[in-house]
Amino acid sequence: MIRTSHNEAWPDLPYGAWRETCATLHLWTQIVGKVRLALTPWLNHSWHVPLYVTARGLTTSLIPYQDRAFEMSFDFNADVLDIATSDGGRRQIALEPRTVAEFYALVMAALSELSIAVQINEFPCEIAQAIAFRQDRLHGAYDAQYARRFWRVLLQVDRVLNRFRTGFIGKSSPVHFFWGSFDMAVTRFSGRRAPPHPGGAPGLADTVMREAYSHEVSSAGFWPGGGGIDYAAFYSYAYPEPEGFRAAAVRPAGAAFNAAIGEFLLPYDVVRTAPDPDAALLAFLQSTYDAAADAGKWDRAALECEMGQAGVPRRA
């Protein structure tokens, strides 16, 4: 069996080189994600809306529809959006340079052909000065090679975040990809209520933000760049931010608190080029969580456990 080196497993992802493709793919994922949102019962903290990493790309997972179900998946190996129904129906849309307006029209037509009637809010979430999908002929760049690199990064991030998740027996989110903010995240909860979130995200109702942050959290994840950060980075934040959190010493070297964003950041390249990328990322995840839990006076003894091992049941 041929194994790839960590530099190949964690590919280079310079934001400037695929900025326009990133913007287009972000909007395409919003169209697909909003279909899931429109047809799925509300789940706490909006956990019914994200996408999930697969062996070929990103998927909505199964979406119920009347007495059937369907799934929408970005396949970055075959360069298609695959829409499959439980009764054998299937449509595919090529992932290639095309405007958001064209992609939106193709998705809606494919769903109609599969006898799936759905209406979505056509304005993107969490994007300032957004253009309605059917009117967006500005975004249409698509470099399949960079989209595939992005997915390969998500494969690694998903694996390490899921490993980190095993060290917590309190309430934790799944590891999931939020198409609104275009990032992968995992969130731990202290179990205590939080003060109402102020909201203010463009295209996102304040009530949604308040429900998402109804309880104290320590959240960490990855995003490919944008929003004033022109490089791929890992992040970690606490809500509400406890006194002393931003002054905490965190690992590895290269991680630092960004006051403008209000989060700890670790450039992706620091992890990608580390002798042991997994260890570097786990150090960031653990040390920033430690900072949040200690400053916030979480009941750590009741919430934490040893990291899980494959095939080994956890001791009660």
Side-chain angles (χ1 to χ4, degrees), residues 133-305:
F133 298 135
R134 72 170 65 237
Q135 298 172 351
D136 189 346
R137 294 174 179 80
L138 177 64
H139 300 97
Y142 189 75
D143 185 323
Q145 293 297 322
Y146 270 103
R148 197 169 298 125
R149 280 196 201 189
F150 175 55
W151 160 69
R152 286 173 54 207
V153 173
L154 294 183
L155 281 174
Q156 301 303 321
V157 176
D158 181 78
R159 178 179 57 80
V160 177
L161 290 186
N162 269 298
R163 183 181 173 197
F164 175 66
R165 187 185 178 210
T166 67
F168 198 74
I169 57 175
K171 176 180 171 180
S172 174
S173 76
V175 175
H176 39 207
F177 185 83
F178 278 105
W179 41 263
S181 46
F182 207 59
D183 67 320
M184 175 169 282
V186 66
T187 301
R188 293 177 170 185
F189 293 77
S190 74
R192 299 187 300 244
R193 298 285 302 190
H197 194 281
L204 196 61
D206 290 348
T207 53
V208 173
M209 292 289 286
R210 292 190 184 111
E211 194 276 334
Y213 291 99
S214 61
H215 291 71
E216 293 178 343
V217 301
S218 171
S219 189
F222 167 83
W223 82 77
I229 302 298
D230 290 333
Y231 55 89
F234 297 95
Y235 66 83
S236 183
Y237 65 88
Y239 181 79
E241 183 186 321
E243 185 177 354
F245 172 68
R246 62 179 60 197
V250 299
R251 305 185 310 276
F257 192 85
N258 184 301
I261 294 178
E263 302 176 3
F264 283 102
L265 296 182
L266 174 65
Y268 168 69
D269 281 347
V270 172
V271 171
R272 183 180 71 84
T273 60
D276 186 340
D278 284 28
L281 179 50
L282 285 169
F284 177 73
L285 297 171
Q286 186 63 51
S287 63
T288 54
Y289 162 73
D290 290 344
D294 288 342
K297 297 180 172 56
W298 289 25
D299 185 357
R300 299 188 60 175
L303 296 170
E304 299 170 19
C305 59

Side-chain angles (χ1 to χ4, degrees), residues 11-72:
D12 190 18
L13 192 68
Y15 179 65
W18 79 298
R19 182 193 307 263
E20 293 182 358
T21 293
C22 183
T24 300
L25 184 58
H26 185 180
L27 292 161
W28 288 357
T29 63
Q30 292 222 7
I31 293 168
V32 171
K34 280 173 176 273
V35 172
R36 184 185 183 204
L37 169 63
L39 296 174
T40 307
W42 201 276
L43 186 61
N44 53 287
H45 314 301
S46 297
W47 292 353
H48 60 302
V49 305
L51 305 179
Y52 303 93
V53 175
T54 72
R56 300 187 67 87
L58 288 166
T59 184
T60 57
S61 72
L62 204 60
I63 302 171
Y65 184 76
Q66 297 176 355
D67 59 349
R68 299 186 293 152
F70 69 102
E71 184 174 14
M72 306 176 72

Side-chain angles (χ1 to χ4, degrees), residues 74-92:
F74 288 92
D75 185 332
F76 296 120
N77 281 315
D79 298 319
V80 296
L81 174 70
D82 187 70
I83 308 174
T85 66
S86 57
D87 56 357
R90 191 176 189 186
R91 294 292 186 276
Q92 292 187 327

